[in-house]
Amino acid sequence: MQLKQMQAVENAFSNKISVIEGPPGTGKTQTILNIIVNAIINDKTVAVVSNNNSATDNVFEKLQGYGFEFIAATLGKSDNKKEFISSKQCNYPDFNSYKYDATKLHSLREELLKLQKELKEMFNDKNRVAGLKSKLSEFKIEQQYFNEFYKETYNDMLNIRNIKRIRSIQVLKLWNECQVLCEQHKNISLLFKLKSIFYYGISDMSFYKKPISGIIPAFQNLYYILKIDELKNEIIDIEHKLNAYNFKEKQKEMTNKSLAIFKNSLYEKYRHKKERQIFTENDLWIDSAKFNKEYPIIFSTTYSLRNCLSNDYLYDYVIVDESSQVDLVTGVLTLSCAKNVVVVGDLMQLPNVIPDKIKEIVKPISDCLDSCEGYKYESNSLLSSICLIIPGVPRTMLREHYRCHPKIIEFCNKKFYENQLIIMTDDHNEKDVIKVYKTVIGNHARGHLNQRQIDEIKQNIIPELGMDKDNFDIGIISPYRKQTAAMQAGLSDDIDISTVHKFQGREKNDIIISTVDNEISEFTDNPNMLNVAVSRAKNRLRLVVSDESNENTNVGDLVKYIQYNNFEIVNSDIYSVFDLLYKDYTEQRNKYLKKHKRISEYDSENLMYLLIKDVLKKKAFKKLDVIIHQPLNMLIHNPKKLNDEECKYTMNSATHLDFLIFNTLDKIPVLAIEVDGYKFHEEGTKQAGRDIMKNEILDKYNIPLLRFKTNGSQERKNLESKLNILLEL
């Protein structure tokens, strides 16, 4: 256990109600397990609940990993109870291996106490090192920007000669004193120079002949040099101490001794029982205490806990996980089952979602009651309510972060956690930890779908991350279900694609965030959503944004953070012939089309025609030509393959292909091309139904078809590729 985890466990057992704030990657699940183990050792019962099964499943799986699933019952809703009763009642393990004699047990406890004391000291040192590394990284970046700015102006003027031993704190004092003199329009005094010699060991008096505007940067430069060296040396000293202690082995030893004590307590609890009693569903109600003694850990949702055992049954401890997503009603129901409560969550992660209809019903009631803000159902989770109603509730924030690369989590730390996190992961100066991909200018988002960002992810980002690598582990997150559905349909099944809400509690080596919006909306910019999305990435993070101004947004702050830390901002090279349709390109479009003869009333078709003609200029396609608005009935003379509806549609003189590429030698159709305006051809419209029919008709007569959506991209590449396949080039 880490220091804050230890404190959280102590608070849980010394208070009727306590709160554990668990930012991403801070060992929240491990802390819950430690509370559970300590409760069981003291012969107490525990219920672990959340608003859904995924959070409790995570805790159960960890318990299962240690081989202790036989003391837990996964109940909750009726189906879960039935399944547990019918097939999941575990047999006892061999308790003989759990037994320790009194002398050995006493020795184990003494050794454990000694280890805990040692490790507390080492944890302090480890946290100290993590903080120093974070500071060192910040100072290095500051120094870089300082050098870039001042060395162009002052060059060799930044050096101070004949310096004896001096510390950064002393240089900082000199710097500040000079700054005051500069602001007061005063010169360097003789007293200041003498003090520099005798107190600070700066004997280079020629240095003070420089203008004060040059002296201050010289002190700044010296400060950065000394401070960085001091931090490096301090880190080396503490790490040497930690390495000499063999930290990892000691942690392993502590874990093994703790498990041994816990196993012995289970032996004492179950040793008189030869065979395990098989409970019926009625036993859950009739003899709840007996069942709970046999299975002292109950897993459930907050909604169902009241119905797991008898109505009046109380658990010694109830642990509410992901409490920021628990609404007040089910939260209060859960509290009514508890003698003691541990509320676990994070106010900076996703809150519970209350439908607008429910809010409309509840808000007038809240307003009439004139209740405290913390009691308002429509604006609170269980976690936020408790923090408001009980301001003095014992709260422990788990600060040690073990998941993300420092450069990834540092954004969340600065933006959302007020620099309270202690980042325990290592920075090996990787160059590609975070990147921003900006799509070309244009209103590419259509509602909650942005095909251009999908194309960017498919064509550039996934290949860059390395889909073929052995450690391939990519997740794609978007705020909108429509975007995730489109990506799920168009990308590899090996990639995990979900909304932010479904990704909470999970992690991936690499995360891609698709923001979708042309201009970042309030929904996309929600700080809780952004915090969750960013903190899912362990090793690498990729952010896809539209190239619009998002200055005063949280997403904009992330872009600035990436830029400041010298990570790459990639301007996309994915274009579309239809980009000229956007309002931003009106002038360029008019100029472009003015040079060429218009063949259609629609600019989209004119642009497509010019592209096709340009592609067909290639030597490989010299035998091909294109015709616009080819009537379908002139291609299909024998409609026997068609049903009545298809035949009627085909023979209609208005039914045509937007473009038909054909072989000039034999006039045989090579490729039909359709240009689909997003709105007109949107799924569910009448035209979309006709499109499907046209696809089926052309398929029956073996006429290849290529559709280009006006919100798509890379038309030239896709057309050339299709023609090469058809011509077997």
Side-chain angles (χ1 to χ4, degrees):
M1 280 198 296
Q2 304 299 320
L3 291 174
K4 287 296 178 179
Q5 291 175 346
M6 291 178 184
Q7 185 183 327
V9 174
E10 289 169 7
N11 279 345
F13 291 103
S14 55
N15 298 277
K16 285 288 183 183
I17 182 166
S18 64
V19 171
I20 300 173
E21 296 177 82
T26 53
K28 175 173 63 73
T29 302
Q30 189 61 48
T31 306
I32 291 172
L33 285 173
N34 288 327
I35 294 170
I36 291 171
V37 166
N38 278 279
I40 303 303
I41 287 174
N42 290 290
D43 201 28
K44 304 296 183 182
T45 59
V46 184
V48 184
V49 299
S50 70
N51 73 316
N52 58 57
N53 289 320
S54 60
T56 54
D57 286 348
N58 191 30
V59 179
F60 178 79
E61 286 166 10
K62 295 279 186 176
L63 200 68
Q64 194 176 35
Y66 287 110
F68 299 134
E69 68 273 18
F70 69 92
I71 59 174
T74 50
L75 304 180
K77 63 181 183 180
S78 178
D79 289 348
N80 287 354
K81 288 194 288 187
K82 288 181 187 298
E83 185 181 1
F84 179 82
I85 292 298
S86 63
S87 62
K88 289 190 174 181
Q89 297 189 63
C90 298
N91 293 322
Y92 291 133
D94 180 10
F95 286 122
N96 288 325
S97 62
Y98 286 26
K99 181 183 177 183
Y100 289 90
D101 61 52
T103 306
K104 178 64 175 174
L105 195 62
H106 178 76
S107 176
L108 276 171
R109 287 188 173 126
E110 290 289 316
E111 290 166 9
L112 191 60
L113 287 170
K114 184 182 175 185
L115 266 173
Q116 281 179 328
K117 189 176 178 181
E118 287 178 10
L119 282 167
K120 271 189 177 181
E121 184 184 339
M122 292 298 132
F123 277 132
N124 277 321
D125 285 338
K126 201 167 185 182
N127 289 359
R128 175 71 178 155
V129 165
L132 291 170
K133 285 181 176 179
S134 185
K135 280 185 181 179
L136 178 61
S137 178
E138 287 185 19
F139 273 109
K140 281 182 173 179
I141 293 170
E142 283 185 28
Q143 186 188 40
Q144 179 186 328
Y145 280 102
F146 172 85
N147 289 339
E148 287 174 3
F149 181 80
Y150 278 107
K151 284 197 173 177
E152 290 182 8
T153 309
Y154 294 100
N155 201 15
D156 62 340
M157 289 179 66
L158 294 175
N159 297 318
I160 307 173
R161 295 173 297 178
N162 303 323
I163 302 175
K164 296 179 182 178
R165 280 192 173 184
I166 188 170
R167 292 186 57 78
S168 64
I169 188 73
Q170 295 172 306
V171 176
L172 186 61
K173 288 179 181 177
L174 286 169
W175 167 6
N176 289 332
E177 286 184 39
C178 282
Q179 191 69 46
V180 172
L181 291 173
C182 184
E183 290 168 2
Q184 296 174 350
H185 305 288
K186 293 181 179 179
N187 296 318
I188 301 292
S189 66
L190 178 62
L191 180 63
F192 185 94
K193 294 176 183 177
L194 291 172
K195 190 164 62 173
S196 295
I197 297 171
F198 295 109
Y199 283 102
Y200 301 116
I202 300 176
S203 56
D204 181 14
M205 290 296 101
S206 64
F207 167 71
Y208 289 113
K209 292 179 181 178
K210 299 175 184 178
I212 197 164
S213 58
I215 292 171
I216 292 171
F219 280 141
Q220 288 176 297
N221 183 52
L222 182 60
Y223 174 76
Y224 282 124
I225 293 168
L226 294 174
K227 187 67 179 178
I228 287 170
D229 281 343
E230 288 165 6
L231 287 168
K232 285 180 178 177
N233 291 331
E234 192 173 356
I235 290 168
I236 290 168
D237 289 344
I238 300 173
E239 284 188 333
H240 180 74
K241 180 183 174 183
L242 288 170
N243 292 334
Y245 181 71
N246 202 342
F247 196 89
K248 286 185 178 179
E249 283 299 315
K250 292 290 183 180
Q251 278 187 298
K252 188 178 177 181
E253 185 183 344
M254 184 175 175
T255 300
N256 291 336
K257 290 183 187 308
S258 300
L259 284 172
I261 291 170
F262 181 53
K263 283 182 174 181
N264 189 79
S265 72
L266 294 177
Y267 165 78
E268 294 293 338
K269 181 178 177 66
Y270 293 101
R271 67 189 178 109
H272 299 297
K273 300 181 180 183
K274 294 182 179 179
E275 291 186 2
R276 187 153 221 181
Q277 179 180 344
I278 302 299
F279 292 91
T280 66
E281 201 169 343
N282 284 336
D283 291 332
L284 300 178
W285 292 88
I286 297 168
D287 206 347
S288 299
K290 190 174 182 179
F291 178 85
N292 203 194
K293 190 170 180 63
E294 189 67 24
Y295 293 96
I297 309 170
I298 303 296
F299 288 95
S300 173
T301 60
T302 51
Y303 180 80
S304 301
L305 183 63
R306 169 55 66 193
N307 296 321
C308 286
L309 302 177
S310 62
N311 281 330
D312 59 347
Y313 190 77
L314 295 178
Y315 302 90
D316 293 315
Y317 289 89
V318 171
I319 301 171
V320 187
D321 196 9
E322 301 288 4
S323 58
S324 67
Q325 294 187 312
V326 174
D327 70 280
L328 277 183
V329 172
T330 59
V332 169
L333 276 174
T334 298
L335 297 186
S336 71
C337 304
K339 296 177 184 177
N340 302 276
V341 178
V342 183
V343 181
V344 186
D346 181 6
L347 291 170
M348 291 310 304
Q349 294 194 58
L350 297 175
N352 59 304
V353 179
I354 301 170
D356 290 337
K357 286 184 179 179
I358 302 295
K359 285 184 179 179
E360 288 174 12
I361 296 169
V362 172
K363 193 173 185 309
I365 301 172
S366 297
D367 293 342
C368 287
L369 293 173
D370 195 28
S371 58
C372 160
E373 184 62 34
Y375 290 104
K376 292 183 177 180
Y377 175 84
E378 72 276 12
S379 56
N380 278 292
S381 65
L382 178 65
L383 177 61
S384 64
S385 180
I386 285 173
C387 292
L388 286 169
I389 293 168
I390 317 173
V393 65
R395 293 169 66 174
T396 308
M397 182 178 181
L398 305 178
R399 298 176 62 199
E400 296 95 347
H401 177 90
Y402 284 92
R403 177 190 295 160
C404 308
H405 188 283
K407 284 293 191 295
I408 295 173
I409 199 61
E410 187 61 39
F411 170 75
C412 301
N413 189 26
K414 290 182 183 298
K415 179 73 179 175
F416 306 117
Y417 295 106
E418 300 178 347
N419 279 322
Q420 293 185 76
L421 298 183
I422 300 169
I423 301 168
M424 309 300 284
T425 50
D426 292 323
D427 187 348
H428 300 293
N429 297 314
E430 297 91 340
K431 301 299 181 187
D432 65 341
V433 177
I434 316 177
K435 284 185 184 179
V436 179
Y437 284 79
K438 288 186 176 181
T439 58
V440 297
I441 295 173
N443 299 317
H444 304 300
R446 300 291 190 274
H448 295 157
L449 175 68
N450 191 323
Q451 185 61 45
R452 186 60 56 86
Q453 289 194 5
I454 296 173
D455 294 343
E456 186 69 33
I457 291 167
K458 187 177 181 179
Q459 301 296 327
N460 288 334
I461 301 177
I462 290 174
E464 180 252 316
L465 289 173
M467 194 162 173
D468 297 328
K469 288 184 179 178
D470 294 335
N471 63 345
F472 176 77
D473 186 36
I474 294 179
I476 304 178
I477 300 175
S478 175
Y480 301 111
R481 285 194 295 269
K482 195 168 184 179
Q483 183 79 347
T484 60
M487 290 190 289
Q488 288 165 348
L491 298 174
S492 170
D493 292 340
D494 295 329
I495 300 173
D496 199 349
I497 304 168
S498 288
T499 60
V500 185
H501 288 81
K502 290 188 177 179
F503 241 106
Q504 179 154 313
R506 296 155 64 190
E507 62 186 44
K508 291 286 180 180
N509 286 339
D510 304 323
I511 285 288
I512 303 167
I513 302 173
S514 172
T515 56
V516 179
D517 297 333
N518 294 320
E519 293 185 14
I520 298 298
S521 66
E522 186 178 349
F523 178 72
T524 300
D525 205 46
N526 179 283
N528 301 72
M529 286 185 29
L530 185 61
N531 180 36
V532 170
V534 171
S535 60
R536 300 311 95 193
K538 291 165 64 178
N539 300 333
R540 294 182 291 184
L541 176 70
R542 300 293 182 263
L543 177 70
V544 192
V545 296
S546 298
D547 192 16
E548 302 285 345
S549 177
N550 295 302
E551 282 292 314
N552 300 314
T553 65
N554 295 310
V555 173
D557 286 345
L558 176 56
V559 174
K560 291 173 190 171
Y561 169 84
I562 293 168
Q563 195 165 16
Y564 177 77
N565 283 276
N566 300 311
F567 289 115
E568 193 175 358
I569 295 181
V570 181
N571 292 308
S572 177
D573 58 358
I574 294 181
Y575 292 86
S576 167
V577 65
F578 302 118
D579 285 345
L580 289 174
L581 296 175
Y582 296 126
K583 187 169 63 176
D584 300 324
Y585 296 108
T586 300
E587 190 177 340
Q588 295 99 309
R589 180 176 72 252
N590 291 338
K591 284 182 181 178
Y592 181 71
L593 291 176
K594 200 172 181 180
K595 295 178 182 177
H596 304 88
K597 183 181 177 183
R598 298 181 71 92
I599 49 86
S600 169
E601 62 180 303
Y602 301 108
D603 284 348
S604 58
E605 290 185 345
N606 287 306
L607 291 169
M608 191 71 225
Y609 178 75
L610 293 173
L611 173 68
I612 294 170
K613 292 295 286 185
D614 197 48
V615 167
L616 297 184
K617 288 177 182 177
K618 292 186 71 173
K619 189 177 179 181
F621 309 135
K622 65 180 181 180
K623 296 178 182 178
L624 303 180
D625 203 352
V626 62
I627 186 171
I628 188 172
H629 294 177
Q630 171 69 35
L632 198 57
N633 59 19
M634 292 184 67
L635 284 179
I636 299 170
H637 302 291
N638 186 358
K640 287 184 179 181
K641 296 180 182 180
L642 307 178
N643 60 39
D644 291 345
E645 187 181 9
E646 290 171 340
C647 185
K648 185 180 177 182
Y649 176 70
T650 301
M651 296 306 152
N652 189 317
S653 58
T655 304
H656 66 263
L657 300 173
D658 291 340
F659 301 96
L660 181 68
I661 295 175
F662 62 94
N663 191 313
T664 57
L665 298 178
D666 55 15
K667 307 301 188 251
I668 297 293
V670 174
L671 178 65
I673 294 174
E674 293 281 284
V675 177
D676 297 342
Y678 176 79
K679 271 293 179 187
F680 190 59
H681 294 262
E682 193 175 9
E683 189 178 345
T685 62
K686 195 176 281 187
Q687 185 57 46
R690 294 193 191 106
D691 291 343
I692 293 170
M693 190 187 300
K694 187 181 285 185
N695 295 347
E696 292 172 349
I697 292 167
L698 292 173
D699 187 58
K700 287 179 180 180
Y701 289 88
N702 298 317
I703 299 173
L705 171 65
L706 191 57
R707 288 188 176 274
F708 290 107
K709 293 184 177 181
T710 54
N711 67 328
S713 65
Q714 296 187 301
E715 293 80 15
R716 178 182 294 274
K717 178 183 175 183
N718 293 333
L719 177 58
E720 289 182 3
S721 176
K722 186 70 174 179
L723 289 173
N724 283 330
I725 292 169
L726 293 171
L727 299 175
E728 298 182 347
L729 296 176

